[in-house]
Structures are given as C-alpha cells and as structure tokens.
Amino acid sequence: MTVRTIAEAKAHAKSLRSALAADGNVLGHAQALELVARQNGARDWNTLSARLANAPPPPFHLHQRVQGQYLGQSFKGEISALSSSGSHYSVTVCFDEPVDTVTFHSFSNMRRMVRGTVDINGTSVRKTSNGTPHLTLSAL
C-alpha cells in the first residue's frame, strides 16, 4: 500500500501491528513504522516522514464537502469513500439532494450517490458520448 500522508502511514503501521499480533507476532510501534517506511521505498521512518511532510496535500479527503457536475447536472455533496491509485482517485459522493441522471422529459432516474474515478483536478476519466466528463468535483 502506498501512503500519501503521515496519518495514512501511521494508520497502516497500526493495522500492521494488529494483524501481526493476531498471529502471535508482537511488533512495537516504532518497528511497524520502520516497516511501513521500507514498504514505501524509504530508508527509514524519518526519511518517509520528511518526504510526506513536504508533499503537497492530496486534493480530496474523506468527508470533504464538494460540488460539481454529474452527467451534466449540478450537485453538492460529501465524499463518503475514497481511495487513490497513482494520480487518480476513486470517489463515492453522497449528494445532498437527488440528481436526475436522465435528460429525457418523460422519464427520470434520481441518484443519491455516485462512484467515479477522477484525476487530481477532479475531472473523471470517463466521458459521455459528447465528450463531457461524467463527473467533475471541486471543494466547497
């Protein structure tokens, strides 16, 4: 698991300690931090910690209030799930108000939640047939 923040690194070390303890292997917190550092390509915890402290903050975080467009419809909501892979983020957004995803006048499909993959600018990789991104996000 690649960590992006010091908090993620510490949480990963904590879960590593718990998993090893369940198997009867006792590991100190400092040892767990050192293992997480090596898993992330750093020489030691101090090196990883310094690298993460100097890294730009991630553009999105869990429970962040966001606004944007989903299939051409405006929304406001909250990020309820988030994971990252390289420069892309898989997000789940819970809308404050349901969003109608159909533009046909005699039919509606109301959505309260959507999952998508966005880049660091909040623009989805997937696009509609006319080239418009499925999802765009920005902080409120």
Side-chain angles (χ1 to χ4, degrees):
M1 171 183 180
T2 301
V3 295
R4 294 184 178 267
T5 66
I6 291 173
E8 283 181 6
K10 288 181 177 180
H12 186 62
K14 184 177 180 179
S15 66
L16 179 63
R17 284 182 68 202
S18 296
L20 289 172
D23 290 336
N25 298 310
V26 178
L27 186 68
H29 184 65
Q31 292 171 306
L33 290 172
E34 294 295 328
L35 284 173
V36 168
R38 285 197 293 271
Q39 288 175 337
N40 284 272
R43 181 184 59 198
D44 56 29
W45 170 249
N46 288 337
T47 303
L48 179 62
S49 178
R51 182 172 62 197
L52 294 175
N54 292 327
F60 305 106
H61 59 83
L62 196 56
H63 305 297
Q64 179 179 14
R65 298 282 304 151
V66 292
Q67 63 185 0
Q69 297 265 317
Y70 177 63
L71 296 177
Q73 305 298 318
S74 297
F75 70 85
K76 289 183 182 178
E78 181 178 294
I79 296 176
S80 63
L82 176 70
S83 64
S84 62
S85 175
S87 62
H88 288 88
Y89 295 83
S90 179
V91 297
T92 300
V93 178
C94 290
F95 300 136
D96 293 347
E97 300 290 331
V99 172
D100 190 356
T101 62
V102 178
T103 57
F104 191 63
H105 295 299
S106 62
F107 178 71
S108 290
N109 182 28
M110 305 302 280
R111 299 279 306 264
R112 293 195 62 73
M113 180 185 301
V114 67
R115 290 185 197 110
T117 301
V118 296
D119 61 18
I120 61 171
N121 298 314
T123 303
S124 70
V125 177
R126 299 192 68 197
K127 299 189 181 342
T128 62
S129 60
N130 68 1
T132 303
H134 281 200
L135 177 66
T136 59
L137 296 177
S138 62
L140 266 175

